[in-house]
Amino acid sequence: MNSTEALMEKWEVQLRKGTLELAILAALQQRTLYGLELLKLLQSLPSTTITEGTLYPLLDRLKRDELVDAQWVQEGETRPRKYYQLTPLGNKKLTDLTRLWRQSVSDIEWLLANPGPQPLPNTGV
Amino acid sequence: MSAAELHNNEMIHGYLNDLRRYLSRLAPHETQEVIREIESHLFDVLDQQAANGQAADVAEILRGFGDARQLAALYVAHIEEGAPPPRGFRAIQSVKKSVTASLYFAMAVFGFSMAFGLLFIAGAKFLLPESVGVWSTPHGDSIVVGFVSVPPMATPEVMGWWIVPVATLLAVGVAWLTRKVLLVLKQHM
């Protein structure tokens, strides 16, 4: 692997780490999922792929912070599964993180859409 | 159960036992909850692989969870971050509490017996005026305070009947102070 690829991967890891909590809260938006379902959902998207070893301790932390709650459910013959859903606090956190995320995306999009050399209209840079 | 299934079960139980050991800093019911969830996940994946006609690959699934010690460290991380200690840590708190309790009672016994002793001196002055008082030795290098059976010879008694109000006031003062200290100690029990 050359150094550019290594840097790219490092950046991707950082980005994924930073957005992981938002990704999990968003995945549980108006939805009740157990660990394996949630893992498969996140692994089905290229930028939210995570491992079991990251997901479960993070769910445990979200539960301690009362952003999600969980119940064991057994349906018919299947083995019991622990289902997660957002708490009202989790919903609020999701709203707050969503606002930050959208702001960040739109700011960066704006910068990308306004290259030099012409001066920018509002800052004079 | 086939030999391959037996082997898979052994691998899973070995992993879960390691994890259980490394999670020992959590409360037992929390550890049990973690183990139960991961066990449910592992067997769910195995069932799904079997249903899809795939060969069970336990090693690959366990790789996703990572090293048992590192996984446990992620679950235990909140303890280092100053979150409330798990139940197992109560023992330490109760040791601290019993020290405070013995300090509380020692303070109460000490303070109130001082106050009681001073009151006793004030009362005894009426019964045995010759035996109660404050004596100063001629050279001033020591004093005798209180209730003596044989008053020191050749030393003047310095307080006379003043010992009654002074000892009473001191008794009240010491009792009040003791009570104040006990109130403060109680808040920290």
Side-chain angles (χ1 to χ4, degrees):
Chain A
M1 190 190 293
N2 66 39
S3 64
T4 316
E5 275 176 40
L7 272 177
M8 280 298 288
E9 194 178 306
K10 208 169 160 188
W11 192 77
E12 210 184 322
V13 168
Q14 295 272 5
L15 186 65
R16 196 173 303 191
K17 219 185 238 176
T19 54
L20 190 53
E21 185 169 334
L22 174 57
I24 290 181
L25 294 177
L28 289 173
Q29 198 176 199
Q30 296 171 49
R31 203 182 275 123
T32 301
L33 299 174
Y34 62 95
L36 182 54
E37 280 180 324
L38 185 53
L39 184 76
K40 283 185 171 170
L41 172 55
L42 293 172
Q43 285 182 345
S44 71
L45 303 167
S47 75
T48 61
T49 301
I50 54 166
T51 64
E52 294 85 338
T54 304
L55 176 67
Y56 282 103
L58 185 54
L59 283 173
D60 186 65
R61 212 246 305 145
L62 295 176
K63 189 160 174 284
R64 282 181 194 278
D65 293 346
E66 297 177 356
L67 299 174
V68 302
D69 58 21
Q71 293 91 34
W72 283 93
V73 178
Q74 181 167 21
E75 292 155 350
E77 291 292 292
T78 61
R79 67 173 52 79
R81 286 158 177 166
K82 194 173 174 183
Y83 281 84
Y84 291 88
Q85 64 203 31
L86 295 185
T87 61
L89 193 65
N91 267 309
K92 190 189 170 299
K93 178 110 191 227
L94 175 60
T95 310
D96 294 347
L97 291 185
T98 304
R99 197 180 56 242
L100 286 174
W101 168 254
R102 289 192 172 142
Q103 183 67 53
S104 177
V105 170
S106 82
D107 290 351
I108 289 169
E109 286 292 347
W110 186 84
L111 290 172
L112 291 172
N114 289 279
Q118 299 91 335
L120 293 170
N122 44 3
T123 60
V125 177
Chain B
M1 192 179 283
S2 73
E5 280 176 40
L6 209 63
H7 178 68
N8 286 342
N9 280 352
E10 270 172 21
M11 273 178 81
I12 289 175
H13 288 131
Y15 184 83
L16 293 177
N17 281 337
D18 284 349
L19 187 59
R20 196 191 305 274
R21 214 173 54 241
Y22 292 125
L23 285 173
S24 60
R25 291 185 67 187
L26 294 182
H29 73 277
E30 289 175 326
T31 302
Q32 191 49 37
E33 179 88 4
V34 171
I35 299 291
R36 194 178 167 205
E37 183 172 30
I38 292 176
E39 188 179 30
S40 162
H41 177 105
L42 293 171
F43 285 107
D44 250 357
V45 176
L46 283 184
D47 284 354
Q48 287 178 12
Q49 287 183 342
N52 295 339
Q54 292 170 280
D57 191 350
V58 175
E60 177 58 32
I61 312 170
L62 289 179
R63 203 166 309 141
F65 281 96
D67 176 57
R69 186 201 292 258
Q70 280 171 8
L71 181 61
L74 292 173
Y75 276 104
V76 177
H78 68 276
I79 294 176
E80 272 88 27
E81 285 163 12
R87 262 193 203 164
F89 279 53
R90 291 259 168 83
I92 292 169
Q93 290 171 349
S94 56
V95 169
K96 205 176 85 197
K97 202 178 249 177
S98 70
V99 169
T100 315
S102 51
L103 183 69
Y104 182 83
F105 287 112
M107 186 64 221
V109 169
F110 175 74
F112 290 127
S113 27
M114 278 274 281
F116 184 78
L118 286 163
L119 268 185
F120 178 77
I121 287 170
K125 183 71 180 174
F126 292 105
L127 300 173
L128 299 159
E130 297 304 312
S131 298
V132 176
V134 177
W135 292 269
S136 169
T137 54
H139 302 295
D141 51 5
S142 73
I143 57 166
V144 176
V145 183
F147 190 31
V148 290
S149 53
V150 182
M153 285 302 161
T155 54
E157 205 277 318
V158 292
M159 286 189 78
W161 287 97
W162 276 108
I163 197 168
V164 176
V166 169
T168 308
L169 278 177
L170 273 176
V172 171
V174 168
W176 178 82
L177 208 65
T178 305
R179 208 179 134 57
K180 282 281 168 194
V181 171
L182 290 180
L183 279 176
V184 172
L185 285 182
K186 185 142 208 155
Q187 284 169 5
H188 295 280
M189 276 177 89

